[in-house]
Structures are given as C-alpha cells and as structure tokens.
Coordinates of all heavy atoms in Angstrom, one line a residue:
M145 N 1.0 -14.2 7.0 CA 0.8 -12.8 7.3 C 1.1 -12.0 6.0 O 2.0 -12.3 5.2 CB 1.8 -12.3 8.3 CG 1.5 -11.0 8.9 SD 2.9 -10.4 9.9 CE 2.4 -11.1 11.5
K146 N 0.2 -11.0 5.8 CA 0.4 -10.1 4.6 C 1.4 -9.0 4.8 O 1.5 -8.5 5.9 CB -1.0 -9.5 4.2 CG -2.0 -10.5 3.7 CD -1.6 -11.1 2.4 CE -2.6 -12.1 1.9 NZ -2.1 -12.9 0.8
A147 N 2.0 -8.6 3.7 CA 3.0 -7.5 3.7 C 2.4 -6.4 2.9 O 1.8 -6.6 1.8 CB 4.3 -8.0 3.1
Y148 N 2.5 -5.2 3.4 CA 2.0 -4.0 2.7 C 3.0 -3.0 2.3 O 3.9 -2.7 3.0 CB 0.9 -3.3 3.5 CG -0.3 -4.2 3.7 CD1 -0.4 -5.0 4.8 CD2 -1.3 -4.3 2.7 CE1 -1.5 -5.9 5.0 CE2 -2.4 -5.2 2.9 CZ -2.5 -6.0 4.0 OH -3.5 -6.8 4.1
T149 N 2.9 -2.5 1.0 CA 3.8 -1.5 0.5 C 2.9 -0.3 0.0 O 1.9 -0.5 -0.7 CB 4.6 -2.1 -0.6 OG1 5.4 -3.2 -0.1 CG2 5.5 -1.1 -1.3
L150 N 3.3 0.9 0.4 CA 2.6 2.1 -0.1 C 3.4 2.8 -1.1 O 4.6 3.1 -0.9 CB 2.3 3.0 1.1 CG 1.3 4.1 0.8 CD1 -0.1 3.6 0.7 CD2 1.4 5.2 1.9
K151 N 2.8 3.1 -2.3 CA 3.5 3.7 -3.3 C 2.8 5.0 -3.7 O 1.6 5.1 -3.6 CB 3.5 2.8 -4.6 CG 4.4 1.6 -4.4 CD 4.3 0.7 -5.6 CE 5.0 -0.6 -5.5 NZ 6.5 -0.5 -5.4
R152 N 3.5 6.0 -4.1 CA 3.0 7.3 -4.6 C 2.8 7.3 -6.1 O 3.8 6.9 -6.8 CB 3.9 8.4 -4.1 CG 3.2 9.7 -4.2 CD 3.9 10.8 -3.4 NE 3.1 12.0 -3.4 CZ 3.5 13.1 -2.8 NH1 4.6 13.2 -2.2 NH2 2.7 14.1 -2.8
R153 N 1.7 7.6 -6.5 CA 1.4 7.6 -8.0 C 1.8 8.9 -8.7 O 1.6 10.0 -8.2 CB -0.1 7.4 -8.2 CG -0.4 7.0 -9.6 CD -1.8 6.8 -9.8 NE -2.1 6.5 -11.2 CZ -3.3 6.3 -11.7 NH1 -4.3 6.3 -10.9 NH2 -3.5 6.0 -12.9
K154 N 2.4 8.7 -9.8 CA 2.8 9.8 -10.7 C 1.6 10.6 -11.1 O 0.5 10.1 -11.2 CB 3.4 9.3 -12.0 CG 4.8 8.9 -12.0 CD 5.2 8.4 -13.4 CE 6.3 7.4 -13.4 NZ 6.4 6.6 -14.6
N155 N 1.7 11.9 -11.4 CA 0.7 12.8 -11.8 C -0.4 13.1 -10.7 O -0.6 14.3 -10.4 CB 0.0 12.3 -13.1 CG 1.0 12.0 -14.2 OD1 1.9 12.7 -14.3 ND2 0.7 10.9 -14.9
T156 N -1.0 12.1 -10.2 CA -2.1 12.4 -9.2 C -1.5 12.7 -7.8 O -2.2 13.3 -7.0 CB -3.1 11.2 -9.1 OG1 -2.4 10.1 -8.5 CG2 -3.7 10.8 -10.4
E157 N -0.3 12.1 -7.5 CA 0.3 12.3 -6.2 C -0.6 11.6 -5.1 O -0.5 12.0 -3.9 CB 0.7 13.7 -5.9 CG 1.7 14.2 -6.9 CD 2.3 15.5 -6.4 OE1 1.8 16.1 -5.5 OE2 3.3 15.9 -7.1
E158 N -1.3 10.7 -5.5 CA -2.1 9.9 -4.5 C -1.4 8.7 -4.1 O -0.6 8.2 -4.9 CB -3.4 9.5 -5.2 CG -4.6 9.3 -4.3 CD -5.9 8.9 -5.1 OE1 -5.7 8.3 -6.2 OE2 -6.9 9.2 -4.6
Y159 N -1.6 8.2 -2.9 CA -0.9 7.0 -2.5 C -1.8 5.8 -2.6 O -3.0 5.8 -2.3 CB -0.5 7.1 -1.0 CG 0.4 8.2 -0.7 CD1 0.0 9.5 -0.4 CD2 1.8 8.0 -0.7 CE1 0.8 10.5 -0.1 CE2 2.7 9.0 -0.4 CZ 2.2 10.3 -0.1 OH 3.1 11.3 0.2
H160 N -1.2 4.7 -3.1 CA -2.0 3.4 -3.2 C -1.2 2.3 -2.5 O 0.0 2.3 -2.5 CB -2.3 3.1 -4.6 CG -3.2 4.0 -5.3 ND1 -4.6 3.8 -5.3 CD2 -3.0 5.1 -6.0 CE1 -5.1 4.8 -5.9 NE2 -4.2 5.6 -6.4
L161 N -2.0 1.4 -2.0 CA -1.4 0.3 -1.2 C -1.3 -1.0 -2.1 O -2.3 -1.4 -2.8 CB -2.4 0.0 0.0 CG -1.8 -0.7 1.2 CD1 -0.6 0.0 1.8 CD2 -3.0 -0.8 2.2
F162 N -0.2 -1.7 -1.9 CA 0.0 -2.9 -2.7 C 0.2 -4.1 -1.6 O 0.9 -3.9 -0.6 CB 1.3 -2.8 -3.5 CG 1.2 -1.9 -4.7 CD1 1.1 -0.5 -4.5 CD2 1.1 -2.4 -6.0 CE1 0.9 0.3 -5.6 CE2 0.9 -1.6 -7.1 CZ 0.8 -0.2 -6.9
E163 N -0.5 -5.2 -1.9 CA -0.4 -6.3 -1.0 C 0.6 -7.3 -1.5 O 0.8 -7.5 -2.7 CB -1.8 -6.9 -0.9 CG -2.0 -7.8 0.2 CD -3.5 -8.4 0.2 OE1 -3.8 -9.1 -0.7 OE2 -4.2 -8.1 1.2
G164 N 1.2 -8.0 -0.5 CA 2.1 -9.1 -0.9 C 2.4 -10.0 0.3 O 1.6 -10.0 1.2
D165 N 3.4 -10.8 0.2 CA 3.7 -11.7 1.3 C 5.1 -11.5 1.7 O 6.0 -11.1 0.9 CB 3.6 -13.2 0.7 CG 2.1 -13.5 0.4 OD1 1.3 -13.5 1.3 OD2 1.8 -13.6 -0.8
F166 N 5.4 -11.8 3.0 CA 6.7 -11.8 3.5 C 7.5 -13.0 3.0 O 7.0 -14.1 2.9 CB 6.8 -11.8 5.0 CG 6.3 -10.5 5.6 CD1 5.1 -10.3 6.1 CD2 7.2 -9.4 5.6 CE1 4.6 -9.1 6.6 CE2 6.8 -8.2 6.2 CZ 5.5 -8.0 6.7
S167 N 8.8 -12.7 2.6 CA 9.7 -13.8 2.2 C 11.0 -13.5 2.8 O 11.7 -12.5 2.4 CB 9.7 -14.1 0.7 OG 10.3 -13.0 0.1
Q168 N 11.4 -14.2 3.8 CA 12.6 -13.9 4.6 C 12.6 -12.5 5.1 O 11.5 -12.1 5.6 CB 13.9 -14.2 3.8 CG 14.0 -15.7 3.5 CD 15.0 -16.0 2.5 OE1 15.6 -15.1 1.8 NE2 15.3 -17.3 2.3
E169 N 13.6 -11.6 4.9 CA 13.5 -10.3 5.5 C 12.8 -9.3 4.5 O 12.5 -8.2 4.8 CB 14.9 -9.7 5.8 CG 15.7 -10.4 6.8 CD 16.7 -11.3 6.1 OE1 17.8 -10.7 5.7 OE2 16.5 -12.5 6.0
L170 N 12.6 -9.8 3.3 CA 11.9 -9.0 2.3 C 10.5 -9.3 2.1 O 9.9 -10.1 2.8 CB 12.7 -9.1 0.9 CG 14.2 -8.7 1.0 CD1 14.9 -9.2 -0.3 CD2 14.3 -7.2 1.2
C171 N 9.9 -8.7 1.1 CA 8.5 -9.1 0.8 C 8.2 -8.9 -0.7 O 9.0 -8.2 -1.4 CB 7.5 -8.2 1.6 SG 7.5 -6.5 1.1
T172 N 7.2 -9.5 -1.1 CA 6.7 -9.3 -2.5 C 5.6 -8.3 -2.5 O 5.1 -8.0 -1.5 CB 6.2 -10.7 -3.1 OG1 5.0 -11.0 -2.2 CG2 7.2 -11.8 -3.0
S173 N 5.3 -7.8 -3.7 CA 4.1 -7.0 -3.8 C 3.5 -7.2 -5.2 O 4.2 -7.4 -6.2 CB 4.3 -5.5 -3.5 OG 5.2 -5.0 -4.5
K174 N 2.2 -7.2 -5.3 CA 1.5 -7.4 -6.5 C 1.7 -6.3 -7.5 O 2.1 -5.2 -7.2 CB 0.0 -7.6 -6.3 CG -0.3 -8.9 -5.6 CD -1.8 -9.1 -5.4 CE -2.0 -10.4 -4.6 NZ -3.4 -10.4 -4.0
K175 N 1.4 -6.6 -8.8 CA 1.7 -5.7 -9.9 C 0.7 -4.5 -9.8 O 1.0 -3.4 -10.1 CB 1.5 -6.4 -11.2 CG 2.1 -5.7 -12.4 CD 1.9 -6.5 -13.6 CE 2.1 -5.7 -14.9 NZ 1.1 -4.7 -15.1
E176 N -0.5 -4.8 -9.3 CA -1.6 -3.8 -9.2 C -1.9 -3.5 -7.8 O -1.8 -4.3 -6.9 CB -2.8 -4.3 -9.8 CG -3.0 -4.1 -11.3 CD -4.3 -4.6 -11.8 OE1 -4.9 -5.5 -11.2 OE2 -4.8 -4.0 -12.8
S177 N -2.3 -2.2 -7.5 CA -2.7 -1.9 -6.2 C -3.9 -2.6 -5.8 O -4.6 -3.2 -6.6 CB -2.9 -0.4 -6.1 OG -4.0 0.0 -7.0
I178 N -4.3 -2.6 -4.5 CA -5.5 -3.2 -4.0 C -6.7 -2.8 -4.7 O -7.6 -3.6 -5.1 CB -5.6 -3.0 -2.5 CG1 -4.5 -3.9 -1.8 CG2 -7.0 -3.4 -1.9 CD1 -4.3 -3.5 -0.3
C179 N -6.8 -1.5 -5.0 CA -8.0 -0.9 -5.7 C -8.0 -1.1 -7.2 O -8.9 -0.8 -7.9 CB -8.1 0.6 -5.4 SG -6.8 1.5 -6.0
K180 N -6.8 -1.6 -7.7 CA -6.6 -1.9 -9.1 C -6.5 -0.6 -10.0 O -6.6 -0.7 -11.2 CB -7.6 -2.9 -9.7 CG -7.7 -4.2 -8.9 CD -8.3 -5.3 -9.8 CE -8.4 -6.6 -9.0 NZ -7.1 -7.1 -8.5
K181 N -6.4 0.5 -9.3 CA -6.4 1.8 -10.1 C -4.9 2.2 -10.5 O -4.7 3.1 -11.2 CB -7.0 2.9 -9.3 CG -8.5 2.9 -9.4 CD -9.0 4.1 -8.7 CE -10.4 3.9 -8.0 NZ -10.6 4.9 -7.0
M182 N -4.0 1.5 -9.8 CA -2.6 1.9 -10.1 C -1.7 0.6 -10.4 O -1.9 -0.4 -9.8 CB -2.1 2.6 -8.8 CG -0.6 3.0 -8.9 SD 0.0 3.8 -7.4 CE 1.7 3.6 -7.7
D183 N -0.8 0.8 -11.3 CA 0.1 -0.2 -11.7 C 1.5 0.1 -11.1 O 1.8 1.3 -10.9 CB 0.2 -0.3 -13.2 CG 1.0 -1.4 -13.7 OD1 2.3 -1.3 -13.8 OD2 0.4 -2.5 -14.0
K184 N 2.3 -0.9 -10.8 CA 3.6 -0.6 -10.2 C 4.5 0.3 -11.0 O 5.2 1.1 -10.5 CB 4.4 -2.0 -10.2 CG 4.4 -2.6 -8.8 CD 5.3 -3.9 -8.9 CE 5.4 -4.5 -7.6 NZ 6.1 -5.8 -7.6
S185 N 4.3 0.3 -12.3 CA 5.1 1.1 -13.2 C 4.8 2.6 -13.1 O 5.5 3.4 -13.6 CB 4.9 0.7 -14.7 OG 3.6 0.9 -15.1
E186 N 3.7 2.9 -12.5 CA 3.3 4.3 -12.3 C 3.8 4.9 -11.0 O 3.4 6.1 -10.6 CB 1.7 4.4 -12.3 CG 1.1 4.0 -13.6 CD -0.4 3.9 -13.5 OE1 -0.9 3.2 -12.5 OE2 -1.1 4.4 -14.4
S187 N 4.6 4.2 -10.3 CA 5.1 4.6 -9.0 C 6.2 5.7 -9.0 O 7.1 5.6 -9.8 CB 5.5 3.4 -8.2 OG 6.1 3.8 -7.0
L188 N 6.1 6.6 -8.1 CA 7.2 7.6 -8.0 C 8.2 7.1 -6.9 O 9.2 7.6 -6.7 CB 6.6 8.9 -7.4 CG 6.0 9.9 -8.4 CD1 5.5 11.1 -7.6 CD2 7.0 10.4 -9.4
G189 N 7.8 6.1 -6.2 CA 8.6 5.5 -5.2 C 7.8 4.9 -4.0 O 6.6 5.2 -3.9
N190 N 8.5 4.2 -3.2 CA 7.8 3.6 -2.0 C 7.9 4.5 -0.9 O 8.9 5.1 -0.5 CB 8.5 2.3 -1.6 CG 8.4 1.2 -2.7 OD1 7.5 1.2 -3.4 ND2 9.4 0.3 -2.7
T191 N 6.7 4.7 -0.2 CA 6.6 5.5 1.0 C 7.0 4.6 2.2 O 7.7 5.0 3.1 CB 5.2 6.1 1.2 OG1 4.9 6.8 0.0 CG2 5.1 7.0 2.4
F192 N 6.5 3.4 2.1 CA 7.0 2.3 3.0 C 6.9 1.0 2.3 O 6.1 0.9 1.3 CB 6.3 2.4 4.4 CG 4.8 2.1 4.3 CD1 4.3 0.9 4.0 CD2 3.9 3.1 4.7 CE1 2.9 0.6 4.1 CE2 2.5 2.9 4.7 CZ 2.0 1.6 4.4
M193 N 7.6 0.0 2.8 CA 7.4 -1.3 2.2 C 7.6 -2.4 3.3 O 8.2 -2.2 4.3 CB 8.4 -1.5 1.0 CG 9.8 -1.4 1.3 SD 10.8 -1.5 -0.2 CE 10.5 -3.2 -0.7
C194 N 7.0 -3.5 3.0 CA 7.0 -4.7 3.9 C 6.5 -4.4 5.3 O 7.0 -4.9 6.3 CB 8.5 -5.2 4.0 SG 9.2 -5.6 2.4
Y195 N 5.5 -3.6 5.4 CA 4.8 -3.3 6.7 C 3.8 -4.4 7.0 O 3.2 -4.9 6.1 CB 4.1 -2.0 6.7 CG 5.0 -0.8 7.1 CD1 6.4 -0.8 6.9 CD2 4.4 0.4 7.6 CE1 7.2 0.2 7.3 CE2 5.2 1.5 7.9 CZ 6.6 1.4 7.8 OH 7.3 2.5 8.1
T196 N 3.6 -4.7 8.3 CA 2.5 -5.5 8.7 C 1.2 -4.7 8.6 O 1.3 -3.5 8.5 CB 2.7 -6.0 10.1 OG1 2.7 -4.8 11.0 CG2 3.9 -6.8 10.3
E197 N 0.1 -5.4 8.7 CA -1.2 -4.7 8.6 C -1.3 -3.6 9.6 O -1.8 -2.5 9.3 CB -2.3 -5.7 8.7 CG -3.7 -5.2 8.4 CD -4.7 -6.3 8.5 OE1 -4.4 -7.5 8.0 OE2 -5.8 -6.1 9.1
D198 N -1.0 -3.9 10.8 CA -1.1 -3.0 11.9 C -0.2 -1.7 11.8 O -0.7 -0.6 11.9 CB -0.7 -3.7 13.2 CG -1.2 -2.9 14.5 OD1 -2.3 -2.5 14.5 OD2 -0.3 -2.7 15.3
K199 N 1.0 -2.0 11.4 CA 1.9 -0.9 11.1 C 1.5 0.0 10.0 O 1.6 1.2 10.0 CB 3.3 -1.5 10.8 CG 4.5 -0.7 11.3 CD 5.8 -1.5 11.1 CE 7.0 -0.6 11.0 NZ 8.2 -1.4 10.7
A200 N 1.0 -0.6 8.9 CA 0.5 0.1 7.7 C -0.7 1.0 8.1 O -0.7 2.1 7.6 CB 0.1 -0.9 6.6
R201 N -1.6 0.5 8.9 CA -2.7 1.3 9.3 C -2.3 2.5 10.0 O -2.9 3.6 9.8 CB -3.6 0.4 10.3 CG -4.9 0.0 9.8 CD -5.6 -0.7 10.9 NE -6.1 -2.0 10.5 CZ -6.1 -3.0 11.3 NH1 -5.7 -3.0 12.5 NH2 -6.5 -4.2 10.8
K202 N -1.4 2.4 10.9 CA -0.9 3.6 11.7 C -0.2 4.6 10.8 O -0.5 5.8 10.9 CB 0.1 3.1 12.8 CG -0.6 2.5 14.0 CD 0.4 2.0 15.0 CE -0.3 1.2 16.1 NZ 0.6 0.2 16.7
R203 N 0.6 4.1 9.9 CA 1.3 5.0 9.0 C 0.3 5.7 8.1 O 0.5 6.9 7.8 CB 2.4 4.2 8.2 CG 3.3 5.1 7.4 CD 4.3 5.9 8.3 NE 5.1 6.8 7.6 CZ 4.8 8.1 7.5 NH1 3.8 8.6 8.1 NH2 5.6 8.9 6.7
I204 N -0.6 5.0 7.6 CA -1.6 5.6 6.7 C -2.5 6.7 7.4 O -2.8 7.7 6.8 CB -2.5 4.5 6.0 CG1 -1.6 3.8 4.9 CG2 -3.8 5.0 5.4 CD1 -2.2 2.6 4.3
A205 N -2.8 6.4 8.6 CA -3.5 7.4 9.4 C -2.7 8.7 9.6 O -3.3 9.8 9.5 CB -3.9 6.8 10.8
E206 N -1.4 8.6 9.7 CA -0.6 9.8 9.8 C -0.5 10.5 8.4 O -0.5 11.8 8.4 CB 0.9 9.4 10.1 CG 1.0 9.0 11.6 CD 2.4 8.2 11.8 OE1 3.2 8.2 10.9 OE2 2.5 7.7 12.9
I207 N -0.5 9.8 7.3 CA -0.4 10.5 6.0 C -1.7 11.2 5.7 O -1.8 12.2 5.2 CB 0.0 9.5 4.9 CG1 1.4 8.9 5.2 CG2 -0.1 10.1 3.5 CD1 1.7 7.7 4.3
G208 N -2.8 10.5 6.1 CA -4.1 11.1 6.0 C -4.8 10.9 4.6 O -4.7 9.9 4.0
R209 N -5.5 12.0 4.2 CA -6.4 11.8 3.1 C -5.8 11.7 1.7 O -6.5 11.4 0.7 CB -7.5 12.9 3.0 CG -6.9 14.2 2.9 CD -7.9 15.3 3.2 NE -7.2 16.6 3.1 CZ -7.7 17.7 2.7 NH1 -8.9 17.7 2.3 NH2 -7.0 18.8 2.7
S210 N -4.5 11.8 1.5 CA -3.9 11.6 0.2 C -3.8 10.1 -0.1 O -3.4 9.7 -1.2 CB -2.5 12.2 0.1 OG -2.2 13.1 1.1
V211 N -4.1 9.3 0.9 CA -4.1 7.8 0.6 C -5.5 7.4 0.0 O -6.5 7.8 0.6 CB -3.8 7.0 1.9 CG1 -3.7 5.5 1.6 CG2 -2.5 7.5 2.5
C212 N -5.4 6.6 -1.0 CA -6.6 6.2 -1.7 C -7.6 5.5 -0.7 O -7.2 4.6 0.1 CB -6.2 5.2 -2.7 SG -7.5 4.1 -3.4
G213 N -8.9 5.9 -0.7 CA -9.9 5.4 0.2 C -10.1 3.9 0.1 O -10.4 3.2 1.1
V214 N -10.1 3.4 -1.2 CA -10.4 2.0 -1.4 C -9.3 1.2 -0.8 O -9.5 0.2 -0.1 CB -10.5 1.7 -2.9 CG1 -10.8 0.2 -3.2 CG2 -11.7 2.6 -3.5
C215 N -8.1 1.6 -1.0 CA -6.9 0.8 -0.5 C -6.9 0.9 1.0 O -6.6 -0.1 1.7 CB -5.6 1.4 -1.0 SG -5.3 1.1 -2.8
T216 N -7.2 2.0 1.6 CA -7.3 2.2 3.1 C -8.3 1.2 3.7 O -8.1 0.6 4.7 CB -7.6 3.6 3.5 OG1 -6.6 4.4 2.9 CG2 -7.5 3.8 5.0
S217 N -9.5 1.2 3.1 CA -10.6 0.5 3.7 C -10.3 -1.0 3.7 O -10.8 -1.8 4.5 CB -11.9 0.8 3.0 OG -11.9 0.4 1.7
H218 N -9.5 -1.4 2.8 CA -9.1 -2.9 2.7 C -8.4 -3.3 4.1 O -8.6 -4.4 4.5 CB -8.1 -3.1 1.6 CG -7.6 -4.5 1.5 ND1 -8.4 -5.5 0.8 CD2 -6.5 -5.1 1.9 CE1 -7.7 -6.6 0.9 NE2 -6.6 -6.4 1.6
L219 N -7.7 -2.4 4.7 CA -6.9 -2.7 5.9 C -7.9 -2.9 7.1 O -7.5 -3.4 8.1 CB -6.0 -1.6 6.2 CG -4.7 -1.5 5.4 CD1 -3.9 -0.3 5.9 CD2 -3.9 -2.7 5.6
Y220 N -9.1 -2.4 6.9 CA -10.1 -2.4 8.0 C -11.1 -3.5 7.8 O -12.1 -3.6 8.5 CB -10.8 -1.1 8.2 CG -9.8 -0.1 8.7 CD1 -9.0 0.7 7.8 CD2 -9.5 0.1 10.1 CE1 -8.1 1.7 8.3 CE2 -8.6 1.0 10.5 CZ -7.9 1.8 9.6 OH -7.0 2.7 10.0
T221 N -10.9 -4.3 6.7 CA -11.8 -5.4 6.4 C -11.1 -6.7 6.8 O -10.0 -7.0 6.5 CB -12.0 -5.5 4.9 OG1 -12.3 -4.1 4.4 CG2 -13.2 -6.4 4.5
T222 N -11.9 -7.5 7.6 CA -11.3 -8.8 8.0 C -11.9 -9.9 7.1 O -13.1 -10.0 6.9 CB -11.7 -9.1 9.5 OG1 -11.4 -7.9 10.2 CG2 -10.9 -10.2 10.0
F223 N -11.0 -10.7 6.6 CA -11.4 -11.8 5.7 C -11.4 -13.1 6.5 O -10.5 -13.3 7.3 CB -10.6 -11.9 4.5 CG -10.8 -10.7 3.6 CD1 -9.9 -9.7 3.6 CD2 -11.9 -10.7 2.7 CE1 -10.1 -8.6 2.7 CE2 -12.1 -9.6 1.9 CZ -11.2 -8.5 1.9
Ligands
ZN1166 ZN1 -5.9 2.6 -4.3

C-alpha cells in the first residue's frame, strides 16, 4: 500500500503530493513530488502525511484547487 504526504511549496503556496511506502507506524516519501515540479527542500511543511490513497483523495478534495492538478490526477489513476 502506498503512503501519501501533501506538502505546501514555498513562494507559490501550491500543494504537491509525495508518494512513499508505509513502514511500521511511519512512512517514507520520495525526494520529488509526483509531478516532479517540487523538491522536498522547497516545502513549507506537511499538510498531512502517511495517508492512504482514499484518505488523501478526500482531504485533497476539501483543500480544492490549490493542490497541483498533476499530483491530484495521479490518485485517480489505477496502475
Ligand atoms: Zn505537483
């Protein structure tokens, strides 16, 4: 199961999604966002972390359009 972390980007104030894996109660997240437009070092902080896909979808729907479209659409794609 994948773990999702949403981070807010400096300057643009746009949110991007980072994918990772669950490990015990915590999770990992990649260095780059799903859309590859944001690096971890550009983060203002985590909006949420270690969410499941379903939970992440709901939360992103609440936040609305400040979340990056590329990152959001990834959650609706089944591999
Ligand atoms: Zn993005």
Side-chain angles (χ1 to χ4, degrees):
M145 194 191 271
K146 292 289 178 196
Y148 293 95
T149 297
L150 191 72
K151 293 176 185 292
R152 194 165 189 183
R153 191 181 180 181
K154 279 181 207 161
N155 307 322
T156 67
E157 298 194 348
E158 205 180 30
Y159 298 88
H160 291 273
L161 200 60
F162 290 71
E163 197 179 62
D165 296 293
F166 285 101
S167 64
Q168 296 170 350
E169 297 102 78
L170 299 169
C171 69
T172 59
S173 63
K174 288 182 183 163
K175 197 178 166 293
E176 274 186 328
S177 63
I178 289 167
C179 66
K180 304 202 185 300
K181 283 186 209 155
M182 179 181 162
D183 187 274
K184 260 184 179 175
S185 63
E186 298 171 310
S187 176
L188 278 179
N190 295 332
T191 304
F192 62 69
M193 60 187 295
C194 305
Y195 271 24
T196 58
E197 192 177 313
D198 194 49
K199 213 171 155 189
R201 249 187 232 141
K202 284 178 190 151
R203 188 70 187 100
I204 284 172
E206 286 165 11
I207 296 167
R209 59 191 177 148
S210 350
V211 184
C212 165
V214 179
C215 289
T216 303
S217 64
H218 178 83
L219 285 178
Y220 294 90
T221 313
T222 315
F223 291 100

